Structure formats: structure tokens, C-alpha cells
Amino acid sequence: MNNFKLNSNAPNGELHTKWEDYKKTLNKLTPEEANKYKVIIIGTGLAGASAAATLAEKGFNIHAFSYHESPRRAHSIAAQGGINAAKNYKQDGDSVMRLFYDTIKGGDFRSREDNVYRLAELSVNIIDQCVAQGVPFAREYGGLLDNRSFGGVQVSRTFYARGQTGQQLLLGAYSALSRQTNAGKVTFYPRHDMLDIVTVDGKAKGIVTRNLLNGKIESHSADVVILATGGYSNVYYLSTNAMASNVTANWRAHRKGALFANPSFTQIHPTCIPVKNDFQSKLTLMSESLRNDGRVWVPKKKNDTRKAVDIPEEERDYYLERIYPAFGNLVPRDVASRRAKEVCDNGQGVGNTGVAVYLDFKKAIKEKGEQFIKEKYGNLFDMYQNITDENPYKTPMKIYPAVHYTMGGLWVDYNLMTTIPGLFSIGESNFSDHGANRLGASALMQGLADGYFVAPHTIMDYLATENPDFSNKTDQKEFVAAVEETEKDIEDIMSIKGDLVVDEVHRELGKVVWDKVGMARDKKGLNHAIDSIPKIKEKFWKNVSIPGSDKDMNQELEKALRLKDFIELAELMAHDALDRNESCGAHFREEYQTPENEAERNDKDFKYVAAWGYNKNGKPSLFKEELKYKNVKLKTRSYK
Amino acid sequence: MNINLKIWRQSSDKKDGKLHDYRLENVDPNISFLEMLDILNNKLVKEKKDPVAFDHDCREGICGSCGFMINGRPHGPQKATTVCQLHMRSFKDEDDILLEPFRAKSFGVIKDLSVDRKSFDRIISSSGFVSVDTGEAGEANYIPIEKNNADEAFLSAACIGCGACVAACKNSSAMLFTSAKVSHLALLPQGEKEQADRVNKMVATMDAEGFGACTNTGACSAECPKEISQTNIARLNREFVKAQLGSFIKKK
Ligand SMILES: Cc1cc2nc3c(=O)[nH]c(=O)nc-3n(C[C@H](O)[C@H](O)[C@H](O)COP(=O)(O)OP(=O)(O)OC[C@H]3O[C@@H](n4cnc5c(N)ncnc54)[C@H](O)[C@@H]3O)c2cc1C
Ligand code: SF4
Ligand code: FES
């Protein structure tokens, strides 16, 4: 693998015709031909469900797996704010080119031009598709689709369904999937955890699963395997992700040879409900859309214990509006998060813990009326009140950044194929489009672009070069070996019989990753993480306790199997962050900042994707994909 | 605060279950109900006992995973709130709290508080969709939709598929769930065309899955965490009659 060169496999040609031209050159299969192939998809969130439905429509036989009981439970369901598309309905100068540029710039020039342009181009088709499925997007009085604006951009291009956009989009994709289940083209395996990938002659040909109801370990074979398994924010223990979101599928693929790209590029979302106590199990996001009408501030005075209402206007620091007059409260997430940390570190934080800032709607309520605010954000306000027992119509919300999204993921080429032939990765699970920072409302867009409009074409092209083989190959030696390996892992974990609860170890891991590989990183801290994570690993393997049997539903075992992979990933994240001696987007290295405390990029030395290879005993090996910018000029990001 | 829990423990649908008593002391009223169960489970694991199984994932009231009976009510005492959004401040010191799984013929118990709701997926896949292939869609703004209709469709589409309506109903009817999907699509021009076929198939599947008949008691809507309205049921009934009439006329 040492001489291996990473190639994005993007076709040549003009940026804006590239994808359409390329699509024409791809191999096609008729539905009759496609019917001879079997496709495995792990994950039925937005990316997985949309890909499964579309490939089934094209004639392929889909076997879809999820640890959820139903596709509708996937983490995608929780996305609140919206989905971007360059429709330019508001006639405010939006265009595919502009969405492309905003995304590249938002990602701090660490993503691939070709992929991002394609994403921007496909964004418009997504909205058409979703509306046709019956997704009830918000509309204006005239009956046309409504838009709002999101962080990091100056146009209104975000489509939304109240604060439940992810829910409505996922229900749309789920309905398309259900239609194919009904047609007999999709077999859904609920409550199945995928625990390993099987490769035969270097190609992905199957998976190993554990049935969560009875603990049965099985393998399944297919002609191609697609991972749509979401992000790994839960490596931090506390994040806004659903409780079960995890890295296992990606990590097992990584251990089998798939490179893992930019693992340390993790997004911290600026507006979440702050941690309240030690039992906290997860964090709740307050959608970024709130920054359209909410103003962020802290008291000018340090350690000010007065109530928000008692602090007069002139003693408040609306620091985002002050530092960034052009974008104000709508700066990108990484910037807003870092500034919140800075004011809190400086003693200006609010609330009992001093680790929070205000998000204030007083002005908007006064100018636009409470009813308007209720219409737009009612469910978010209710959720806030329910969790905190405070009324945000009356007192400002308290918010603080929390881990939210992972830009890093499996390295994929332009076709969304990993470095293992026949293994594709789509949605949040790949690293593809967001560079070092994702803009709001762009994850849903990417998941659906991958699933509905990209992967179905590139996977068909791949399959056209493979001989279909419908036979069950699970008695081949590669499958048998993978099953045995998984069984051994489970046996090992069950036999530890220590005295630590899985969550205790996870919390300890999370604290290290948050402190050292979180919002701000430095060399000393990263080295500390690299030293301490192996100790946590040892603790896990010596001391964790799993009651009950592995032959039943066993939720502690499920967590343990996920945690063991998170621990290994955490170490890789620290290596990645240490290796990147620059600041870019969400990756902020204390050593590399401008005098105004902004990220200081180093394009000369770090204009690349860091793709890491797994070595069983030893340090990970780094492969670089040099990023080329032909259509945009590299600039220092400025939101002032 | 201190609480006395009575929790239904059942190792699988093949075994009998029974209630067990647990006491938790010094519970912070500001933690969520599921965090309280996390604490109980941590304690059980420390004592080498089997923790209580329950479904949950988003803990934001949107995925529909969580749900069980608390003192006889699906999702507990607070209106329009899923279990995961319920907080201990809704209870008093020394309260007795009874936890049982949703009970319905069509929802088998998997373990403890976790039940099998796959029948809901089967109702949707029978025809809870618009038949449009990827790539076939026209420009989104060609068909304007009156804001009121779009808003109403959204309210129906907000169902999270948790099953509380079934658990609340003395007949274990899935009418609220099914009618929410029927209404969502009936209210939009995209869904209108297939409406007759849709309602026929969804109702037939609902019956085949063993859900009971709707006798309009309204218990479902009262306990629904998303406040899905009973008008959905009235709309389903209208659509159903229309569909039956339609096929009657066609046959003639
Ligand atoms: C609170 C919140 C709000 C958000 N709001 C927005 C927003 O407004 N706009 C936006 O663009 N983005 C938003 N995002 C981000 C966006 O929701 C996600 O990036 C996106 O939904 C991910 O979709 P996905 O299909 O890639 O993965 P997921 O939806 O996470 O689906 C993963 C699937 O994989 C399955 N799976 C995973 N591992 C395994 C395994 N080992 N075995 C079997 N199955 C497995 C799961 O069961 C699931 O079906 C938000 C995220 C959060 C946390
Ligand atoms: S109608 Fe309400 S109670 Fe029934 S499944 Fe939907 S959200 Fe749950
Ligand atoms: S855990 Fe998702 S709705 Fe309660």
C-alpha cells in the first residue's frame, strides 16, 4: 500500500458540465440486467434510504440493514433547520456557482471542487423530488415554497418544514423505500448491527451482522456494499447526535483497508442547550435558524451575576455583531463557536456554570411580534422550555457549543467509492463535500444528493463491470473467518466481567477528546490525548462489565461494541489533528492563529486531504490527496 | 427527591413477565426521565444485574423510538410530550411510578419495556407513499399549494410513529396513525391521484395486522405526544367511503 497514490478519479472537463458529461459515459444496465445483482446497504437514514429506493427503482435487489427497528428512526429524523438548494426563488442573486463557492469557502478551502460543484448542481433536483413525494415544506401565502437564510451565507436558500425538516425529508425517503419494499425489491433487516465487512480478492462482497434481538451472528453476501452509516460525533460521549450513532461500520471498513479522511474535522455547533449536570446523556441542538432572529450576547463585565433582564443595553456585548459587522449573528458555525468559548474563557459566560452565552429574541419579538416568532420557531421554543424550565419568550435562551457533525469520514473518490473496490460510502459517513467546516443545511443536501442522484449512477457503472453472482457465498472462507473474528470479539468482551459500566469508560474517553481534540487544539494537548487514550483502551478491555447473555437483546453489549471502535478512532483523530500544523475551519490549532484570533491556514503545506491507513500494530500511515483549485481563488475567509 | 419504581420485567415474548420494585434516592428533579432510567441501569450493572431494556435514540421527541406506559398513560403525565422529553420535575418526592410496555395484540413485547412496532412499517409500505421515481419530478414551484393546506398536511405528517395512540386505545386501534398518513397525502395535490387506492390498502393492512376498530373515544389523540388531531380520522373515513363508492361504481 506504500506506493499507493490517491486519485479523486474526477473526470476532466469544464466544471459546470463535468457531471452531466461524465454521467453519459457511465455504464448502464437495463432493469432486467440489474435484477441479477444484489446490493447491500447499511444504514437507512437520508443517504441510505434514498439510495436504496433509487437503486431498487432501477431494478437492483436491495438488502438494507439498520440497527433501528424502522428506517424512520434514523438520526436524520432529528435535523431541524433545513436543506439548501440554489433555486434562487427569492431572486436574491443565488446560483449554483454561488452555492458552490459558499460551500468551498465555508469549508475553508479543504474540499474538492468537483464534488462540491456537483452537490450544488444537484441541490435543485432534490427539492423537486421531495416536493413530488409529498414533503410538506413551508410555503408562502401565495402557495410558493418559502426560504430562509442560514449561517455563513448572504442569500436565502434554505428550504424548511418548521423545525422538523429532517423528519419530513426522511419520511419522504422512507416512503420511497417503503414503496420498493412493497414491490419486493427491498428486503429490510431491522435491529441488525453490522459488525464487519467481508472482502474477497480485495473487493467488498459482504458483511457480518448481529441480530440485536437474539444475538445471532450472521454473514450476508452481495455484489457491492454501501455504507450510509452516519457520523461519529458520539466519540465525544456528549453530542447532539442520537444515542446510538456510532463509527463501527466505518471503523471496521477502515480496519479492512478503507482509508479514513480528515478524522479530526469535527463540527462544534454554536447553539446548543448547555450541559447541566453529570448525568447528562446527550445534548440538544437549538437550530441555527434561530440566529436569524436571535442576538448573541454576554455581559461586558466579567463574572456578572445579574439576571439578563437587569443588565442594561450598554453593558451588553453583542460580540458577533461587534466583531463581524457584515455577517453578525450569522457567521459560520466554527467562528460562532470559537467566539463563544473565548468569551466564556474570559469570564463573561452566563448561567450557574458560567459556560453559556445568551441568545436573545427580545428585539425580534418586539419588531415582528410574538406570533411571528411562534410560527417560525414554536417547537424549538417549546423544547427549550421543556428541558430548561425557562420561557425563552420572556428571558433569553442560554446556549453553548456542542459537538454536532463530523466532516471527516471514509475517503471516497468522485464516484463515492472508498479505497476498497466495491465499497461505497454516502452521506455523513464519507468525508466528501464539506472540507474543514460544514455550512448549515448542507448535510441533508449532501445525503440526498449522494443517495438519490450520485451513487445510483456510479454504483450501476461499477456493477456493470462485475459479473452478477446471486449465489449465497457465506460459506466461503473469507465469510467464515469474519464471522469467527466477530464472535471472538464478543466472547472476549463478555468474559471481561470487570466492574465498570460502559458509559463510565465512554464518558472518560469523551472528556479527553472534548478537552484535547475539541474546539481548540494544541500540540501538548494532542500528545496528551495520544498518551492517555491507550490507557482508556486498556481499562475498557480489562474492566468493563456486561451483564446478561450475548444471545439475547443486550443493550450494554451493543454499547460496548461501539465504544471499543470509538476508542481506536479517538486516537486517530488526535494523530490527524497533531499532524495538521495549521488552523482551518473547525480545526483550530492554538499555535496557528492570526492576531485577530482567526484561523490561520497554511495552503503551501496543508492544502490536502489527510487520508489515513490502518496498521494493526503501529502508527497509522498518512496518504495525501492534494487539492487543486482551478475555479476559485484561495482566500482568507472573512466574515467581517 | 426519592422515588419508588415498579417496572415490568420480561425477558422475551415467550416468557411471562412480572413487576419488580426499585427505589432511587436523591434524584435530581432536573434530569430527564430516561436519564433517571440510565442511573437505575448503571446501578443494576454495578450489581451484576440485567438492566431494564427500553427503546430510545434521539432523546429529542422526534424519532419515535421511546414510549412506554407511566402510571397507566402512554409517555406519562405531561401533555404533548414523549417519554424522552419528560423530566423528573413532573413527579413528586416519594412518588410511586409504574412502568409497563405498550400493550396491544399487534405490538409484541421484545424485552421489558421494548415492543415490536414493525406492523406500522407494513401499514406504510402497503401504500403510504406517492408513486414517483427518482428523477421523474417536475419543477417544484409549478404546482403552488395553498399555505393552509400545506400547513395542515405538515401537522398530519408530524406523526412520529411511536404507537402511543394504539396503547391508549381500549380497542388497540391504529386509526390515528393510519389516518395521519392518509390525510397528509390527501391534502397535497401530489398525493391526491392515488388516494382511493391508498386508503383502501392502508385500511386493509391495518385490519390484517390485528389492530382493533375505532370507536371514536378520542383517547388516542389526547395521549398523542405530537397532538395529531382526530379530524384526521374523520378525513380517513370520508376518503374511505369515497374510495368504496368509487370501486362500487367502477364494478358496475
Ligand atoms: C440535532 C441535529 C440537527 C441537524 N440539523 C440539520 C439541518 O437542519 N440541516 C442539515 O443539512 N443537517 C442537519 N444535521 C445533520 C444531518 O442531520 C446529518 O448529517 C444527516 O442526517 C446524516 O444522514 P445519514 O443518512 O448520513 O446518516 P443517519 O441519518 O445518521 O443514518 C445512519 C443509518 O445507519 C444505520 N447504521 C449506522 N451504523 C450501523 C451499523 N453498524 N449497523 C447497522 N446500521 C447502522 C442507522 O441505523 C441509520 O439507519 C443535523 C444533525 C443533528 C444532530
Ligand atoms: S398518531 Fe401520535 S401517538 Fe400515534 S404514532 Fe403518531 S405520534 Fe404516536
Ligand atoms: S427517543 Fe426519540 S422520540 Fe423519544
Side-chain angles (χ1 to χ4, degrees), chain A residues 50 53-54 57 67-75 77-78 80 87 89 127-129 131-145 161-164 167-168 171 174-176 178-182 188 190-191 213 240-245 276-277 279-285 375 383 385-389 452-453 497-501 503-504 507 545-548 552-556 559, chain B residues 11-12 26 28 30-32 34-35 38-39 41-46 48-65 78 81 85-87 89 110-111 114-118 120-122 124-148 150-151 153-155 157-163 177 181 184-185 188 190-191 201 226:
Chain A
S50 56
T54 307
E57 287 160 13
Y67 54 71
H68 286 106
E69 62 167 342
S70 160
R72 66 184 297 155
R73 311 266 186 247
H75 166 61
I77 202 94
Q80 303 173 346
K87 283 279 197 190
Y89 286 159
I127 302 303
D128 297 341
Q129 189 64 33
V131 166
Q133 287 167 347
V135 170
F137 283 120
R139 288 179 182 265
E140 298 167 341
Y141 282 99
L144 299 178
L145 292 157
R162 299 232 177 143
Q164 289 159 235
Q167 179 196 30
Q168 295 309 320
L171 293 180
Y174 161 70
S175 73
S178 299
R179 177 171 164 241
Q180 295 304 318
T181 310
N182 191 34
F188 179 61
R191 297 195 196 253
L213 299 181
T240 62
N241 282 200
M243 300 294 286
S245 296
K276 53 183 190 291
N277 56 39
F279 308 112
Q280 187 98 31
S281 55
K282 77 162 300 229
L283 294 170
T284 303
L285 173 83
E375 279 253 318
M383 186 146 75
Q385 178 155 16
N386 193 25
I387 292 172
T388 62
D389 211 14
Y452 283 131
F453 298 111
K497 300 205 184 308
D499 48 33
L500 286 178
V501 184
D503 280 351
E504 286 177 280
R507 230 179 261 134
S545 166
I546 312 293
D552 279 328
M553 184 188 223
N554 188 331
Q555 294 175 325
E556 288 298 308
K559 286 197 241 176
Chain B
S11 59
S12 79
N26 296 320
D28 179 345
N30 282 320
I31 65 173
S32 72
L34 296 187
E35 283 165 351
D38 292 342
I39 293 172
N41 277 346
N42 273 9
K43 198 167 144 225
L44 292 175
V45 176
K46 287 275 185 200
K48 313 278 176 220
K49 292 182 186 144
D50 207 18
V52 180
F54 60 92
D55 282 313
H56 66 102
D57 199 21
C58 72
R59 296 202 176 188
E60 290 190 8
I62 192 76
C63 73
S65 298
Q78 192 173 317
T81 306
Q85 292 294 89
L86 190 64
H87 283 72
R89 66 178 96 90
I110 292 174
K111 186 176 175 181
S114 165
V115 297
D116 181 355
R117 291 166 288 196
K118 282 203 294 293
F120 271 14
D121 278 346
R122 290 189 288 264
I124 298 295
S125 56
S126 70
S127 65
F129 46 75
V130 176
S131 299
V132 54
D133 280 359
T134 303
E136 277 183 348
E139 158 57 43
N141 251 350
Y142 278 170
I143 313 174
I145 301 174
E146 211 183 303
K147 185 171 173 356
N148 285 344
D151 287 351
F154 171 86
L155 289 178
C159 159
I160 59 174
C162 64
F177 168 80
K181 185 49 63 190
H184 157 210
L185 295 173
L188 298 172
Q190 289 82 6
K201 285 187 177 148
K226 296 293 139 181

Side-chain angles (χ1 to χ4, degrees), chain A residues 72, chain B residues 75 120 158-166 176-177 180 220 223-228:
Chain A
R72 66 184 297 155
Chain B
H75 293 292
F120 271 14
C159 159
I160 59 174
C162 64
C165 45
V166 175
L176 192 63
F177 168 80
C220 50
E223 298 290 356
C224 169
K226 296 293 139 181
E227 302 187 291
I228 299 296

